[in-house]
Amino acid sequence: MGSTVRNETLAELVDASGLSRRALAERVKGIAAQHGDVIQTNHAAVTYWINGGLPQPDTQRYLLEALSRRLGRSLTLRDIGMPSMDDGLDGIASMSEDPVEVLIELGRAEMERRRFLKTAAYSTAAAATPVTLASDAWGRACSAHAGGRVGASDVTAVQEMTAVYTHIDEKYGGQHARRAVTAYLEDALQMCRGNFASERVHRDMLSATASLACLAAWKAYDAGEHGHAQFRYIQAQRLTMEAANPVHEAFVLRGRVHHAINIKTTDHALALAEQMMSRGEQRVDGGTRALFVICQARALAEEKQTDRALKESYRARELASAAGETGGVPGWSALWASPMSTVNSHTAKILSATGRYREAERSYKGAVAGRPGEVYRRINGLTLADAGRMQVAQGHLEQAVNTFDRALRTMTGVQSTRTLTSAQGMRESLAPYRRRGAGVVRDFDQSLRSWLQEQRAG
């Protein structure tokens, strides 16, 4: 912003705050002092900012916090008329150390359909960099914005809405109700900076919001927006760190590991899995431990440590079996089907990579059998497609076509880039037989092409 362009947005907010420029300058200096910083801001500096000048980056954050506290709502740099997103995800990341503020700005970029969210690449550097939180984050959060009072019922509401949106996501696909999730996430993030009945409620709200942020990350992944998804997962992890909830942090790390593996960017997947295990394995019930163990097994398999991967997959199965259908897993873990279904699915992927197609097929079918069909349409459809590919690998052509047909029927109407990719994968696996003129394949291929056209049109 040039110095000749008056920042009308900031001017209006200063007027709305009811503070004189001198009083606002004193508040900015006071917040800087709370952060251990000494600045010389005065009323003339505030005038300079209103006239279009830019404060130093740290001073921008102090100004942002001063106005947020005074006005009783979370503001972003863009809200006060200052640059924020010109550099894409890097620009958003650099604007603040506060994951709440970063996620609010990211959500607004998504609502505006900013192109960089679709084109941002997955970053191996970000995967290798330990996630940190500013040392004063908790103090900043506790003292921050004077919003409405937030109680345990508000936490419950966020948890219940996350469960509802997650079930909708599984049934109708990641692109269904995506903007609604983004909008509701901003509501939850605003509450994270409210006035809390207790420290416990505050931590619970941060953790509940992290679950919702993970769902938003999952939706970005389901759309093939992998840089965007990775960025959201990292911010969700920072929320769990601010909540001082290492077990939930481990669960977010689990999402990051599977994301890396699924898009075949696995250089740091095992390191992330080891972080996950260090934070969560010894602190959780058997069902959740099974999810962590099978995740590590997948990472080991990607590193060609096959024997150890299989050993860990068997351990995960024993843990899941002992835990039962739900296993008393935490709410944020229970959203994603039973531990045994998850273990079966990931075990099948390990077995498939080792050429044990019959065993993999059996595990894929076990995963589907453990999930209610009407609720888990997307994942069951994808899993059936994987089972069909195992049948093709064994030369069981007619069985494979029947399984693929069932997968298509299960996935019909699901709005997901992954389901389209999976259906295309069916065509590729059957291509050798199509070239040979196999009748059962030719007939199915016509149906498959029609299905793809209808799904893309929808």
Side-chain angles (χ1 to χ4, degrees):
M1 183 179 295
S3 59
T4 60
V5 180
R6 179 178 165 86
N7 188 340
E8 296 291 353
T9 302
L10 179 60
E12 291 173 6
L13 287 173
V14 173
D15 288 344
S17 75
L19 296 171
S20 67
R21 296 180 185 185
R22 188 180 304 279
L24 177 58
E26 290 301 315
R27 290 187 179 228
V28 171
K29 288 168 63 177
I31 290 170
Q34 292 174 15
H35 289 255
D37 196 0
V38 177
I39 61 175
Q40 301 302 318
T41 296
N42 56 27
H43 71 283
V46 176
T47 299
Y48 171 70
W49 303 336
I50 290 173
N51 287 336
L54 287 176
Q56 293 297 312
D58 284 344
T59 305
Q60 287 184 38
R61 289 193 283 272
Y62 304 147
L63 172 63
L64 189 68
E65 188 164 343
L67 288 170
S68 294
R69 292 185 190 184
R70 179 67 176 183
L71 296 170
R73 65 180 189 273
S74 291
L75 299 171
T76 68
L77 289 176
R78 186 174 49 170
D79 290 333
I80 63 174
M82 294 184 180
S84 59
M85 295 192 301
D86 293 341
D87 297 320
L89 290 177
D90 289 340
I92 293 177
S94 67
M95 38 174 269
S96 177
E97 295 178 326
D98 183 350
V100 169
E101 182 179 329
V102 171
L103 281 166
I104 288 173
E105 190 71 18
L106 183 62
R108 293 177 183 178
E110 185 173 333
M111 296 297 277
E112 292 176 1
R113 303 182 190 276
R114 298 295 292 263
R115 180 168 173 75
F116 67 79
L117 296 179
K118 293 185 177 295
T119 59
Y122 183 94
S123 169
T124 55
T129 303
V131 175
T132 59
L133 196 64
S135 59
D136 64 345
W138 181 246
R140 179 182 64 245
C142 286
S143 65
H145 316 312
R149 188 168 181 81
V150 179
S153 62
D154 296 298
V155 175
T156 300
V158 172
Q159 292 169 335
E160 290 181 353
M161 286 297 291
T162 301
V164 168
Y165 281 129
T166 300
H167 291 152
I168 290 172
D169 183 272
E170 285 294 340
K171 188 172 183 178
Y172 297 108
Q175 304 323 294
H176 189 87
R178 185 175 178 185
R179 289 171 70 82
V181 169
T182 300
Y184 187 68
L185 176 57
E186 179 166 350
D187 290 343
L189 289 162
Q190 298 285 1
M191 284 191 283
C192 285
R193 294 297 181 257
N195 293 323
F196 287 84
S198 68
E199 180 178 310
R200 178 72 266 165
V201 173
H202 191 184
R203 293 181 189 273
D204 287 346
M205 179 58 80
L206 288 166
S207 193
T209 304
S211 288
L212 192 56
C214 279
L215 176 59
W218 176 260
K219 285 180 169 292
Y221 160 65
D222 198 53
E225 299 171 14
H226 297 304
H228 180 191
Q230 180 189 31
F231 191 76
R232 281 197 178 275
Y233 273 127
I234 290 171
Q235 300 310 315
Q237 184 181 347
R238 294 175 75 201
L239 283 177
T240 63
M241 293 167 69
E242 191 168 321
N245 190 339
V247 173
H248 197 177
E249 183 189 353
F251 196 77
V252 178
L253 280 162
R254 171 184 174 270
R256 292 185 62 192
V257 174
H258 284 308
H259 179 207
I261 290 173
N262 290 346
I263 64 172
K264 303 186 186 306
T265 309
T266 59
D267 290 352
H268 305 287
L270 186 56
L272 289 171
E274 288 169 350
Q275 292 177 41
M276 170 197 71
M277 297 297 279
S278 71
R279 285 157 175 75
E281 186 188 14
Q282 301 305 319
R283 298 183 174 96
V284 294
D285 60 278
T288 303
R289 185 176 295 119
L291 299 179
F292 292 159
V293 171
I294 194 62
C295 177
Q296 185 180 48
R298 287 289 310 282
L300 288 166
E302 292 296 324
E303 292 293 317
K304 308 304 181 186
Q305 299 184 38
T306 305
D307 290 344
R308 189 179 168 200
L310 288 169
K311 181 179 178 180
E312 289 297 281
S313 72
Y314 299 145
R315 181 162 78 96
R317 180 178 296 278
E318 291 173 357
L319 287 166
S321 178
E325 192 63 24
T326 59
V329 296
W332 35 260
S333 176
L335 294 172
W336 303 94
S338 71
M340 182 57 82
S341 289
T342 301
V343 168
N344 273 326
S345 181
H346 290 296
T347 298
K349 294 178 188 300
I350 296 170
L351 291 167
S352 171
T354 63
R356 304 184 188 191
Y357 302 128
R358 177 57 186 151
E359 294 175 69
E361 178 192 348
R362 189 182 304 118
S363 287
Y364 279 132
K365 289 179 176 178
V368 173
R371 304 186 193 109
E374 271 304 301
V375 176
Y376 295 100
R377 289 171 55 204
R378 177 184 54 202
I379 187 60
N380 278 347
L382 294 171
T383 304
L384 284 166
D386 286 334
R389 280 188 279 274
M390 295 303 96
Q391 291 167 335
V392 172
Q394 297 171 76
H396 301 160
L397 196 57
E398 190 166 341
Q399 290 180 7
V401 167
N402 289 336
T403 303
F404 284 156
D405 183 67
R406 182 182 169 196
L408 292 182
R409 286 186 279 110
T410 302
M411 296 187 297
T412 297
V414 175
Q415 298 176 29
S416 166
T417 298
R418 288 191 301 147
T419 58
L420 296 174
T421 301
S422 177
Q424 188 60 45
M426 297 178 196
R427 291 202 76 211
E428 293 169 2
S429 69
L430 291 171
Y433 300 95
R434 188 168 59 250
R435 286 192 291 269
R436 296 175 197 170
V440 66
V441 173
R442 184 182 61 250
D443 294 343
F444 174 72
D445 191 61
Q446 291 176 352
S447 298
L448 177 54
R449 283 185 292 170
S450 296
W451 185 90
L452 282 166
Q453 290 173 356
E454 290 172 5
Q455 291 290 107
R456 286 168 178 156

